Amino acid sequence: MIQVTTKVSSKGQIVVPMEIRKQFHIQEGDSLKFTINESEEIKVEILKRNSIMDLFGSVQAKGDTQDFEKVRRETSEDRIDQRNEKMY
């Protein structure tokens, strides 16, 4: 069992002690989720930062995605149209 103490800063920030970071492989960019139960016990869950591949499929494609050049061209045309609308 690891037991360490840390202080809360005047801004409400805490430092996760090095022993805890090493034990649980906590790295810059990871998040910590705090959950308090009915007994006022605090549970801390580590949310690892996502890689770009974790986002695959999270956005629905517009139209036919089989022809990449066609999709790229339509996207470029949409952007040009949006810029032109802002100008006039």
Side-chain angles (χ1 to χ4, degrees), residues 4-83:
V4 292
T5 303
T6 189
K7 291 184 181 180
V8 179
S9 76
S10 61
K11 294 181 180 181
Q13 298 169 326
I14 62 169
V15 173
V16 179
M18 182 177 52
E19 300 93 330
I20 302 293
R21 292 193 316 264
K22 283 184 178 180
Q23 173 82 25
F24 295 99
H25 309 286
I26 299 172
Q27 299 176 350
E28 182 179 347
D30 293 343
S31 295
L32 300 177
K33 176 181 174 183
F34 293 82
T35 305
I36 303 171
N37 65 18
E38 300 80 26
S39 304
E40 297 189 358
E41 295 171 320
I42 299 173
K43 174 185 172 187
V44 180
E45 183 179 350
I46 303 160
L47 306 174
K48 301 301 280 179
R49 64 181 162 190
N50 292 330
S51 75
I52 192 71
M53 291 309 294
D54 292 338
L55 301 175
F56 181 78
S58 63
V59 176
Q60 191 69 303
K62 227 170 78 174
D64 178 24
T65 59
Q66 296 300 315
D67 182 357
F68 179 76
E69 280 304 313
K70 178 182 173 189
V71 172
R72 187 189 63 73
R73 193 172 42 255
E74 289 173 353
T75 302
S76 295
E77 290 169 1
D78 286 348
R79 288 184 183 157
I80 291 169
D81 291 343
Q82 289 173 359
R83 272 190 248 145

